Amino acid sequence: MQKLKVGVIGTGNISSAYLNNATKFDSMEMVACADLDVDRAKAKAEEFGIRGCSVEELLADPEIGMVINLTIPQAHASVCLQALEAGKHVYVEKPFAVTREEAQAVLELAARKGLLVGSAPDTFLGGGIQTSIKLIEDGWIGTPIGATAFMMSGGHETWHPAPEFYYQKGGGPMFDMGPYYLTAMVAMLGPISRVTGMARASFPERTITSQPKFGQKIQVEVPTHVAGIIEFASGPIGTILQTFDVKGGSTLPRIEVYGSAGTLLVPDPNTFGGPIQFKRAGSHEWSEIPLVYPNTDNVRGLGAADLAKAALTGRKARPSGELAYHVLEAMHGFFDAAEQGAHYTMKSSCEKPAPFKLGLQPNSLD
């Protein structure tokens, strides 16, 4: 099959995973990378045997059919719009955009141009979440009743070399990690009808203890402890807690899904693999369920490959812009509800992404 030629914009920490994994998929060929810092782009390009250039040069290249946007969250929408204006499909890291208005502008321009836009996270395409979806759809837990999702962390300033943006507009635990949890939940249970929540910034100032910025202070601009309730259109009620304020650690599970016939302990949605635990109603023991789908290692870029395949074949993309927008709206909905002391009714919806078929080979998409 013909491969779609792809260029990366943004050569920060996550770019190496995308560039390394790109060669695993038959739907795309990585040919260039760009950055505001052209020297950094060229150094990254030399490492992976591709071309390094400026953003303007990459966007002007007529051979490049898709851009993978790995810039910081505040630049996600503007770079997506530039790429679409240049006639290229776009896959962007999470979050899809900082504001709903920015995200809507991206979707509208893509529609006008007849181009595809998609967004991370793509971990829901890994063997762990895909097997969980299969178990739910095959009735292992009976009728889904509810779900819980917990991301409990003390923050990124202890390990990340440049953690400031995690505490600026577009950051915080809900926008940083929430997309993994909400995307996985929507992939398993379907779209969300309304949410409510509460949020606060427990520590208005953070001190960086990682290198090279040890000792520098960060002024916190966003809530860092967010608790929400989710009503899914199909009936289940979910609870979500995303925090950078838990300094002493936690033993809470990442995601559990509860049904009339049993409970499913779902893998960490920030990974592609397992394990999965299942407990049937009336049983006293948990059982580990083997994964029946591949792509269980770190295959970040799987979503970009799926979008490229969709662009080449005309089928629907699994990590679609509509899914990403729905998740973004829900995240904003928690904050709207917290400010107003009310429920937030979702204005968007989306289709559940098509699950993979059994018998899928590693690094395959169909």
Side-chain angles (χ1 to χ4, degrees), residues 116 168 253 266 270 315 350:
L116 297 183
Q168 297 167 353
V266 179
N270 192 20
R315 69 156 169 79
C350 66

Side-chain angles (χ1 to χ4, degrees), residues 54-356:
S54 69
V55 173
E56 292 74 18
E57 288 174 300
L58 189 149
L59 291 176
D61 187 339
E63 286 194 338
I64 293 177
M66 186 174 83
V67 165
I68 298 178
N69 178 1
L70 305 181
T71 58
I72 62 173
Q74 292 91 330
H76 281 181
S78 63
V79 172
C80 285
L81 291 170
Q82 290 177 59
L84 291 168
E85 287 287 6
K88 305 180 191 308
H89 306 289
V90 185
Y91 182 86
V92 60
E93 251 300 331
K94 50 79 189 171
F96 186 40
V98 172
T99 70
R100 285 163 284 195
E101 292 76 17
E102 289 175 341
Q104 286 169 345
V106 171
L107 290 177
E108 289 167 4
L109 181 59
R112 288 202 304 273
K113 292 277 190 176
L115 295 166
L116 297 183
V117 60
S119 177
D122 55 3
T123 45
F124 77 94
L125 300 175
I129 303 298
Q130 287 292 305
T131 300
S132 299
I133 293 170
K134 177 69 172 170
L135 292 168
I136 293 169
E137 292 188 347
D138 285 355
W140 281 56
I141 66 168
T143 302
I145 293 168
T148 54
F150 299 104
M151 194 292 297
M152 316 293 281
S153 164
H156 293 354
E157 66 272 20
T158 61
W159 62 271
H160 197 282
E164 298 93 328
F165 76 90
Y166 288 105
Y167 300 99
Q168 297 167 353
K169 187 178 180 182
M174 183 56 76
F175 276 78
D176 177 42
M177 298 301 294
Y180 294 106
Y181 290 78
L182 289 166
T183 302
M185 294 171 85
V186 170
M188 290 186 288
L189 299 173
I192 298 165
S193 56
R194 62 175 179 165
V195 300
T196 191
M198 302 185 76
R200 63 172 295 193
S202 304
F203 309 104
E205 184 179 83
R206 302 267 181 156
T207 301
I208 299 175
T209 58
S210 60
Q211 296 295 341
K213 299 184 177 183
F214 181 88
Q216 292 185 26
K217 304 293 184 181
I218 303 172
Q219 301 305 312
V220 177
E221 301 175 0
V222 293
T224 50
H225 189 85
V226 186
I229 303 295
I230 305 163
E231 181 182 70
F232 292 92
S234 59
I237 296 172
T239 301
I240 187 168
L241 180 56
Q242 305 282 287
T243 182
F244 287 163
D245 296 347
V246 174
K247 303 296 185 179
S250 168
T251 60
L252 289 169
R254 298 296 186 181
I255 297 179
E256 289 185 345
V257 182
Y258 314 109
S260 59
T263 295
L264 198 63
L265 182 55
V266 179
D268 182 347
N270 192 20
T271 66
F272 289 84
I276 297 173
Q277 299 286 327
F278 170 70
K279 188 175 182 182
R280 194 178 303 279
S283 173
H284 298 291
E285 302 291 336
W286 289 91
S287 301
E288 184 164 335
I289 305 297
L291 305 187
V292 294
Y293 294 93
N295 301 320
T296 58
D297 297 326
N298 182 0
V299 283
R300 293 186 193 276
L302 177 60
D306 189 86
L307 191 76
K309 187 72 172 285
L312 292 167
T313 64
R315 69 156 169 79
K316 290 185 177 180
R318 293 178 174 94
S320 67
E322 289 73 21
L323 171 62
Y325 179 80
H326 189 64
V327 167
L328 178 71
E329 185 190 3
M331 294 192 297
H332 276 289
F334 294 123
F335 296 124
D336 288 354
E339 291 175 3
Q340 299 166 13
H343 288 89
Y344 174 85
T345 300
M346 297 285 288
K347 298 176 177 61
S348 71
S349 187
C350 66
E351 293 183 14
K352 284 180 61 177
F356 287 130

